[in-house]
Amino acid sequence: MNRPPHVHGFPRPPLALVGHEHPVGGSGTSPAHPGTAPPGSAPGEAADAALRAELRERTADLQRLKAEYDNYRKRVRRDRQAVAEIAVSNVLSRLLPVLDALAEATAQGEVTDGFARVARALETELGSLGLQSVAAPGAPFDPTLHEAVTCTHTDRVTCPTCAAVLRQGYRVGGQLLRPAEVVVAAPDR
């Protein structure tokens, strides 16, 4: 910068104590912030107004910072919950073949005594993790939850209905792990 050699910086205003009208080390006549006093007001009032304005600015900054931090905490909590739900879904989807084998063994009458207690405990624990079956015979057919393998027409139903469940479908919360394979009974035309 091109500055005359005899100029070494900008003049600094004298320091002032909060609540005092006279600056420290000054002559006692200049305001703490020169040029901020409105005409006709005392120098102490100008300093007071400047401090109040700075306090409002700092309060607004702190409120913005607190809002940002609160949003960050909410986002982290949401992300952690989403990761936990994904982990549970992944584990449960890997256990679906075990549930299929257990259902097949139960249908053939091979699940008895102690093994039946283990099977019930497994189903209870998986249910506590949020695993829900999505098909039952007689339930209305829902193409978002059921996969129609075959369709029969009958006069005993008024709307498409799951006549039989060939392979159970499951969901966790709002996420479908696997659609149920069903036989659909449709009304006669």
Side-chain angles (χ1 to χ4, degrees):
M1 202 152 59
N2 295 332
R3 191 181 325 184
H6 65 279
V7 177
H8 294 290
F10 296 106
R12 293 188 179 172
L15 299 175
L17 292 175
V18 176
H20 294 303
E21 294 182 14
H22 303 293
V24 176
S27 65
T29 58
S30 63
H33 299 283
T36 59
S41 67
E45 291 176 12
D48 213 24
L51 288 174
R52 289 181 196 277
E54 188 173 341
L55 177 63
R56 283 191 299 274
E57 182 181 334
R58 298 292 180 251
T59 301
D61 289 344
L62 286 174
Q63 288 172 341
R64 279 190 295 274
L65 187 63
K66 182 184 179 305
E68 287 176 14
Y69 181 68
D70 288 343
N71 289 338
Y72 168 76
R73 279 193 344 219
K74 290 175 187 176
R75 188 173 55 250
V76 166
R77 189 178 312 129
R78 255 192 336 262
D79 291 348
R80 284 182 181 163
Q81 185 177 4
V83 166
E85 289 173 1
I86 289 169
V88 167
S89 294
N90 288 340
V91 169
L92 292 177
S93 65
R94 298 291 302 259
L95 289 175
L96 294 183
V98 174
L99 292 175
D100 291 341
L102 187 59
E104 186 179 330
T106 302
Q108 294 176 3
E110 296 176 5
V111 179
T112 59
D113 300 332
F115 191 65
R117 285 194 301 273
V118 170
R120 281 193 302 272
L122 176 65
E123 290 172 356
T124 301
E125 289 303 315
L126 294 178
S128 70
L129 290 174
L131 186 68
Q132 300 172 341
S133 59
V134 295
F141 176 74
D142 182 354
T144 61
L145 299 175
H146 307 126
E147 184 177 318
V149 176
T150 62
C151 182
T152 61
H153 293 278
T154 180
D155 58 350
R156 292 182 288 197
V157 295
T158 58
C159 66
T161 306
C162 297
V165 178
L166 302 178
R167 186 178 77 165
Q168 189 58 261
Y170 295 97
R171 71 174 166 204
V172 176
Q175 181 184 2
L176 184 66
L177 297 179
R178 178 178 76 190
E181 293 180 355
V182 297
V183 174
V184 178
D188 280 334
R189 296 179 194 161

